[in-house]
Amino acid sequence: MLTPLIDIIFLLCLFFVLNTSFRQESYIEVNLPESKTSEDTPTMGIILTLYENGSVSINGEEIGWDSVESVLEDEAEKQAGQEIIIQGDENIDYGKIIATLDKVRRAGFELISLQTIRNER
């Protein structure tokens, strides 16, 4: 009488274990701009973050602005065909975003996303 209950509990546990995502989310330390048409896409790829104070990080590791292109070239060799996600603070100068996009393209990336926050209003 207890065996069917144990079987059901085992199957439920197995279901939840197999459907749980163990991906570690990176917490955004920038104020991303809002967009009504923003899509919820997983943050899988190389994350390039542009902070309001002018500093830059790639996958959480802070680097200098002058070395962005060379670090991205190394990442492009390691992870060919990978998407790069740019997280830019909403207060960054537009010219800095364009310069960053230029460096990303010169490093060899073709899949580029600009991350925003969905505004439901």
Side-chain angles (χ1 to χ4, degrees):
M1 188 173 268
L2 192 60
T3 305
L5 182 63
I6 293 173
D7 288 343
I8 290 173
I9 291 173
F10 175 73
L11 287 174
L12 282 173
C13 288
L14 184 64
F15 173 78
F16 286 116
V17 167
L18 293 176
N19 288 313
T20 301
S21 174
F22 293 105
R23 183 175 46 126
Q24 189 175 26
E25 292 290 326
S26 60
Y27 293 98
I28 302 169
E29 301 148 352
V30 295
N31 296 321
L32 293 174
E34 294 182 357
S35 170
K36 290 182 182 180
T37 60
S38 180
E39 295 180 15
D40 292 330
T41 57
T43 53
M44 301 289 284
I46 299 167
I47 299 175
L48 187 144
T49 307
L50 302 169
Y51 299 95
E52 185 178 8
N53 64 5
S55 61
V56 180
S57 70
I58 295 179
N59 291 333
E61 183 178 327
E62 194 166 332
I63 59 170
W65 174 250
D66 296 333
S67 60
V68 169
E69 192 171 344
S70 63
V71 171
L72 287 175
E73 286 172 352
D74 293 342
E75 290 291 328
E77 288 177 10
K78 291 180 204 173
Q79 304 178 33
Q82 186 75 292
E83 179 181 20
I84 186 157
I85 302 163
I86 299 175
Q87 298 176 338
D89 193 280
E90 66 183 351
N91 298 316
I92 290 180
D93 183 43
Y94 184 65
K96 184 81 163 188
I97 297 290
I98 297 301
T100 303
L101 285 170
D102 193 39
K103 286 180 181 266
V104 168
R105 287 188 185 126
R106 283 193 311 228
F109 288 96
E110 294 180 10
L111 297 171
I112 304 169
S113 296
L114 297 174
Q115 190 169 20
T116 60
I117 296 174
R118 178 178 290 175
N119 181 350
E120 296 292 333
R121 292 183 251 157

